[in-house]
């Protein structure tokens, strides 16, 4: 049987969602026989090719992240938002209560360890969006796996549902966070 092709991207997030995915431990061996990863921080492949499932970790906070997410959407049949940052903006969106100018000034000039700071612009760093957005404010998202990070069991459940040809809907006991 042909393997299901999967690509994952890491936008405005901390990589914790990808780390939680790797926490599925030995189940990854079973998964490896059914899934082939293309572009992903896990494989370090940078190019997009058409895939069955796209997975996005992180919110969308700058122009480059917006482009990468649109490219993933254009190359996948089903897009999954993985983690609170991709589902809701969450941690990255905390900067949305400040203006872009305030955020850049604080980050590049006012930090206590900075001497003679200078705010870089594109192309050195991509331009910030006014606000950090969840993935579904930029593209159509087909399924959501919330959590910060989602538990490995919830990620595995969702991937198995996708492999079975179903859009995953997390049962309520996987939606509780301790
Ligand atoms: S949801 Fe939590 S673990 Fe995942 S990227 Fe955001 S902050 Fe990190």
């Amino acid at each position: 049987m042909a393997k299901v092709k999967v690509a994952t991207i890491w936008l405005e997030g901390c990589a914790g969602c990808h780390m939680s995915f790797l926490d599925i431990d030995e189940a990854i061996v079973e998964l490896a026989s059914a899934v082939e990863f293309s572009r992903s921080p896990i494989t370090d492949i940078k190019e997009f090719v058409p895939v069955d499932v796209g997975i996005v970790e992180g919110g969308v906070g700058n122009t480059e992240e917006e482009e990468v997410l649109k490219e993933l959407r254009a190359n996948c049949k089903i897009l999954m938002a993985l983690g609170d940052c991709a589902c809701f903006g969450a941690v990255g969106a905390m900067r949305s209560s400040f203006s872009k100018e305030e955020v850049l000034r604080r980050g590049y000039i006012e930090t206590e360890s900075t001497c003679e700071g200078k705010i870089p612009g594109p192309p050195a760093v991509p331009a910030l969006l006014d606000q950090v957005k969840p993935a579904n404010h930029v593209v159509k998202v087909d399924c959501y796996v919330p959590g910060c990070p989602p538990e490995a069991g919830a990620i595995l459940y969702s991937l198995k549902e996708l492999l079975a040809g179903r859009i995953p809907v997390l049962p309520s006991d996987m939606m509780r966070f301790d």
Side-chain angles (χ1 to χ4, degrees), residues 19-96:
M19 295 307 290
S20 192
F21 166 67
L22 295 176
D23 276 347
I24 64 175
D25 298 328
E26 67 274 8
I28 207 160
V29 176
E30 181 192 342
L31 210 57
S33 63
V35 168
E36 178 185 323
F37 282 95
S38 61
R39 175 174 166 147
S40 170
I42 295 169
T43 58
D44 207 24
I45 295 172
K46 306 281 194 255
E47 295 78 32
F48 281 111
V49 294
V51 294
D52 301 297
V53 178
I55 298 175
V56 50
E57 170 193 316
V60 186
N62 66 43
T63 50
E64 182 182 274
E65 291 164 350
E66 208 168 36
E67 278 170 30
V68 169
L69 179 57
K70 285 178 180 170
E71 213 176 332
L72 177 64
R73 177 71 270 188
N75 278 285
C76 70
K77 296 176 188 161
I78 294 168
L79 181 63
M80 174 198 284
L82 179 64
D84 283 355
C85 291
C87 292
F88 313 117
V91 177
M94 289 169 74
R95 73 110 164 134
S96 297

Side-chain angles (χ1 to χ4, degrees), residues 9 15-16 27 31 33 44 54 81-82 96 109 118 121 138 142 150 154 160 169:
I9 56 174
L31 210 57
S33 63
D44 207 24
L82 179 64
S96 297
I109 293 178
K118 182 168 171 250
V138 179
D142 301 297
K160 284 185 167 175
V169 178

Side-chain angles (χ1 to χ4, degrees), residues 109-132:
I109 293 178
E110 295 175 353
T111 48
E112 287 67 17
S113 58
T114 301
C115 302
E116 299 181 18
K118 182 168 171 250
I119 296 175
V125 294
L128 291 185
L129 303 179
D130 288 339
Q131 304 228 302
V132 176

